[in-house]
Amino acid sequence: GARGRITFSPEGVNLDLLKTADKSTFLHEMSHFFLEVMGDLSEASPDLKTDYSKILKWLGVESREGIKREHHEKFAKASERYFAEGVAPTEELKSAFEQFKTWLTDVYGELKKLGVKFSKEVTEVMDGIYAASEAGKAETTGERAPPTTGQEFEQEPPRRHPHRSAT
């Protein structure tokens, strides 16, 4: 059964961690959130639009409208793999990423069980997502990162995003 779910509506975002949730569930569900927010913010930022285009290409779709459940799951599993590798994009995140690696290794055992691979280009985009500092820059690679904003967003029509299935 499902371990978690995330729902987007004009009223906000709802993330549910179900009784069957494990150490990977929150990271997985937040990855769905990151993909949606990146799509929202890319409309106003040329840098993010470039990064988002790289993600769309890797997902095998031409536009945001082409993203289906299978694409969301691919991105979420890739994010889990990214965290499971334990390689922090900044020095400040090193201990957190070491913990993520421990948690995800406990859940999956081996990274290949996630069943997803990604390119260096996608890794660089994820570094940018997860290493955003107040200045909006990834400190170790010099690559740009998404701005850290507190903006709410609305998406019409409301979309129900995929549920994580137990494997």
Side-chain angles (χ1 to χ4, degrees):
R3 296 180 191 172
R5 69 178 156 256
I6 189 166
T7 308
F8 297 83
S9 73
E11 291 80 36
V13 177
N14 186 46
L15 188 148
D16 295 310
L17 298 177
L18 306 177
K19 289 181 182 180
T20 55
D22 61 29
K23 293 176 181 177
S24 71
T25 307
F26 181 75
L27 295 173
H28 180 97
E29 296 304 327
M30 285 305 297
S31 298
H32 294 297
F33 175 78
F34 288 134
L35 183 59
E36 286 298 309
V37 171
M38 185 180 235
D40 290 339
L41 295 177
S42 71
E43 296 170 13
S45 166
D47 288 343
L48 278 178
K49 187 171 188 157
T50 299
D51 285 347
Y52 190 63
S53 293
K54 292 174 186 177
I55 296 294
L56 293 175
K57 180 180 177 183
W58 175 75
L59 290 173
V61 297
E62 293 184 21
S63 69
R64 186 178 192 178
E65 292 74 31
I67 297 175
K68 306 291 182 227
R69 177 185 175 128
E70 67 195 65
H71 304 108
H72 252 282
E73 288 303 317
K74 181 178 179 180
F75 183 80
K77 286 194 176 288
S79 294
E80 285 182 89
R81 182 179 178 120
Y82 173 83
F83 287 121
E85 289 176 351
V87 179
T90 68
E91 188 63 33
E92 292 83 5
L93 291 174
K94 189 174 181 179
S95 65
F97 271 69
E98 288 170 358
Q99 186 63 59
F100 295 151
K101 181 178 181 175
T102 299
W103 288 347
L104 294 168
T105 301
D106 287 348
V107 171
Y108 293 109
E110 298 177 17
L111 292 181
K112 65 183 177 184
K113 288 185 180 177
L114 286 167
V116 66
K117 294 181 182 179
F118 47 89
S119 66
K120 181 180 180 208
E121 194 171 58
V122 171
T123 300
E124 290 170 355
V125 171
M126 288 186 175
D127 283 348
I129 292 170
Y130 301 115
S133 69
E134 288 182 16
K137 301 288 180 187
E139 296 166 7
T140 58
T141 63
E143 295 290 320
R144 66 195 168 283
T148 53
T149 68
Q151 295 179 328
E152 293 182 1
F153 66 94
E154 291 185 7
Q155 182 174 352
E156 295 288 339
R159 290 170 54 182
R160 180 136 183 120
H161 288 283
H163 297 242
R164 173 94 192 271
S165 298
T167 55

